[in-house]
Amino acid sequence: MIIEFTNTKRWKVLLMMGAVSISIFFLLFTRYLVNELSARELTEVKKIVHAFEQLNDPTIKNYEEIRKTLQSATIPIIVVNEKGRVTNFRNLDSTKIYIKGEKSKIDSSYLNSQYKLMKWFHSPIPIKIDENKYQYIYYKEQQAITLLRFFPYIQLILIALFLAISYVAFNTSRISDQNKVWVGMAKETAHQIGTPLSSMMAWIEYLKTTNEAPTENLLEELSKDVKRLEIITERFSKIGSTPELKIYNIYHTIHESIDYLKSRISDKVNIIISPESDQDAKAAINKNLFSWVVENLVKNAVDAMNGKGEINFFIRQGKTSVYIEVKDNGKGIPRSNFSLVFKPGFTTKKRGWGLGLSLSKRIIENYHNGELIVKDSEIGKGTTFRIRLKKPVQSPELHTEKIPSRRNKWDLRD
């Protein structure tokens, strides 16, 4: 379906834009932190430079403050002369600067490696020794600043990896759900058509074996099967299109569906509409699709009761909605599965494809702007499903007028 594809594509674009926006924000914020910390570090290095310049100034007599400045400094530094030879260093790793076993002998390879590293990261700051002589100080930034410099790029890689995994997972899940729906719809179609078709084939075989003219009862039964096939065809033709909604009496519509089902399910199952139900409740529905939902809920209840028990329909009107509750006394549903039972492919039966409830929920919510939920369930005692439909704004006399519904979001033609 083009609309669903467009919506999916829009969500992907929004997700990508969100990820890029977050990445840019963190990149700019991290850069701000790095600049702030680097500026403070540079200020401290300049204090060290000033201290070295004072040490070489013969006019300075108070060296105590200079020593305190140098001793309090924590930034690793290396001082080199104009020829690039190391003349001084401070705050380097004491466990590496000296050769093991010889505490007074400096490890020149480690010192040179640190000098090259500092030279690569920062430009030197000159130390004025006298009018014509300079030395140069290199420094190594704190590890926290270095990590902050590379953190945004690591973050970008992680976000990109997350988006890639999410995209693959989303596509895989979507394809899996579509496959389940397609398989389920194929089996549901075969199942729906199979019952009236088998009946018609039986009547044809009967006619072949008798010379009698078709009786009125036989023709009536064939007409019912043909009508059933028409209903099935219309139901499946509504999938993927916007159905026409008309105002119907909900009590009578459910009663018709129950009358059809009673002869096609176990005689040990009793289906009743509560005498306390509101028989005047009306709602804007597509009659064939709504009857399909009723049939699916009844079949689900029959399976839950193992073909023996009672199914009770209760209809009531609220201020703005009509509520239909379908209660059985079957095995019940764990609370953790209340939402899962509506997922395509979810089933607790050994044989089945888990499409009935999923299809019913989409028919009610996407076609009728209503709601289908598991209202209540208790293990071993039964389950109650609740359908909520909006009460019609129009008067009952306008029952043939088409009422616009929300665009369907579940199109099998996609």
Side-chain angles (χ1 to χ4, degrees):
M1 182 179 178
I2 295 175
I3 290 181
E4 183 179 358
F5 175 77
T6 303
N7 289 337
T8 302
K9 188 176 182 180
R10 186 181 296 118
W11 275 111
K12 289 180 180 178
V13 171
L14 290 174
L15 182 64
M16 181 64 71
M17 290 176 63
V20 171
S21 300
I22 292 172
S23 301
I24 292 174
F25 170 77
F26 277 108
L27 184 65
L28 294 176
F29 182 70
T30 305
R31 181 173 293 179
Y32 167 78
L33 288 178
V34 169
N35 290 339
E36 283 292 312
L37 293 174
S38 296
R40 293 181 183 181
E41 196 172 56
L42 183 60
T43 300
E44 187 176 347
V45 173
K46 287 181 178 179
K47 289 181 179 179
I48 297 173
V49 169
H50 182 63
F52 272 114
E53 287 178 340
Q54 286 182 319
L55 285 175
N56 293 288
D57 188 349
T59 61
I60 299 297
K61 296 181 180 180
N62 185 11
Y63 292 103
E64 188 63 29
E65 289 297 325
I66 299 174
R67 289 193 183 92
K68 285 182 179 180
T69 300
L70 293 175
Q71 288 175 357
S72 63
T74 58
I75 299 175
I77 62 168
I78 290 179
V79 181
V80 298
N81 58 23
E82 293 176 333
K83 295 181 179 180
R85 183 174 295 176
V86 177
T87 60
N88 202 341
F89 60 85
R90 286 181 179 273
N91 303 320
L92 295 178
D93 191 341
S94 59
T95 62
K96 296 179 180 179
I97 192 66
Y98 297 104
I99 298 174
K100 290 182 179 180
E102 300 182 39
K103 293 184 178 181
S104 59
K105 194 171 183 181
I106 296 173
D107 188 340
S108 58
S109 61
Y110 171 74
L111 191 62
N112 288 329
S113 66
Q114 292 300 300
Y115 167 50
K116 290 178 181 178
L117 187 64
M118 293 179 185
K119 191 175 181 181
W120 186 76
F121 268 103
H122 298 287
S123 299
I125 299 175
I127 302 173
K128 188 176 181 181
I129 304 300
D130 54 39
E131 291 297 329
N132 299 316
K133 189 176 181 182
Y134 286 88
Q135 289 187 343
Y136 300 91
I137 186 170
Y138 291 88
Y139 67 96
K140 182 180 179 181
E141 65 184 13
Q142 299 175 42
Q143 188 176 10
I145 299 177
T146 305
L147 290 174
L148 280 174
R149 286 185 187 277
F150 291 101
F151 177 72
Y153 304 103
I154 297 172
Q155 189 179 48
L156 286 175
I157 294 172
L158 291 176
I159 290 175
L161 185 62
F162 170 76
L163 287 175
I165 293 173
S166 299
Y167 179 81
V168 172
F170 173 80
N171 275 357
T172 302
S173 176
R174 182 171 60 86
I175 292 170
S176 176
D177 283 346
Q178 285 181 346
N179 288 339
K180 288 177 182 178
V181 170
W182 276 111
V183 171
M185 286 301 296
K187 292 182 178 181
E188 179 69 14
T189 305
H191 175 72
Q192 290 276 330
I193 294 176
T195 303
L197 197 59
S198 298
S199 177
M200 292 177 69
M201 291 174 65
W203 284 118
I204 290 171
E205 289 300 320
Y206 170 77
L207 290 173
K208 286 181 180 180
T209 59
T210 181
N211 294 323
E212 297 177 5
T215 63
E216 186 176 340
N217 182 55
L218 188 152
L219 292 174
E220 185 180 348
E221 290 298 321
L222 283 172
S223 296
K224 286 182 180 179
D225 289 330
V226 171
K227 181 64 177 176
R228 181 63 182 174
L229 287 173
E230 289 177 353
I231 292 173
I232 293 169
T233 302
E234 184 177 350
R235 284 176 177 176
F236 282 99
S237 69
K238 297 298 181 184
I239 299 296
S241 61
T242 303
E244 184 179 5
L245 304 184
K246 297 179 182 178
I247 299 173
Y248 285 97
N249 183 294
I250 298 301
Y251 180 89
H252 293 158
T253 302
I254 292 176
H255 205 287
E256 289 176 12
S257 298
I258 291 174
D259 286 343
Y260 170 78
L261 290 167
K262 279 184 176 179
S263 61
R264 289 164 174 81
I265 60 175
S266 171
D267 55 7
K268 295 180 180 180
V269 175
N270 186 27
I271 308 176
I272 61 174
I273 300 179
S274 172
E276 298 177 0
S277 294
D278 191 334
Q279 298 187 19
D280 296 322
K282 294 180 178 66
I285 60 172
N286 181 278
K287 192 173 182 180
N288 283 336
L289 291 179
F290 181 76
S291 297
W292 198 0
V293 172
V294 173
E295 290 176 21
N296 283 334
L297 290 176
V298 169
K299 291 175 182 177
N300 182 76
V302 171
D303 290 333
M305 299 185 300
N306 294 320
K308 182 180 180 180
E310 183 175 280
I311 303 171
N312 197 316
F313 281 80
F314 177 70
I315 306 166
R316 67 179 178 88
Q317 294 190 77
K319 290 184 179 180
T320 59
S321 302
V322 174
Y323 299 91
I324 305 106
E325 294 183 0
V326 186
K327 184 177 182 181
D328 64 61
N329 53 5
K331 58 187 177 184
I333 302 171
R335 185 164 294 276
S336 58
N337 288 348
F338 276 18
S339 59
L340 292 178
V341 295
F342 297 109
K343 298 292 184 182
F346 181 87
T347 179
T348 57
K349 297 182 293 184
K350 292 182 179 179
R351 304 181 71 178
W353 43 89
L355 190 65
L357 291 177
S358 175
L359 183 62
S360 298
K361 188 174 182 67
R362 283 166 170 80
I363 288 173
I364 294 298
E365 296 187 355
N366 295 344
Y367 289 116
H368 293 85
N369 300 328
E371 181 184 49
L372 172 59
I373 63 170
V374 179
K375 180 187 176 185
D376 188 32
S377 187
E378 190 173 347
I379 300 300
K381 291 188 177 182
T383 301
T384 302
F385 285 89
R386 186 178 72 181
I387 299 172
R388 179 182 58 80
L389 299 172
K390 290 184 179 179
K391 292 178 70 174
V393 178
Q394 292 86 348
S395 63
E397 289 74 21
L398 299 177
H399 67 279
T400 58
E401 183 176 341
K402 182 178 179 180
I403 300 172
S405 66
R406 184 171 61 192
R407 183 70 181 177
N408 173 39
K409 297 181 181 178
W410 188 52
D411 194 334
L412 297 177
R413 297 176 298 176
D414 184 14

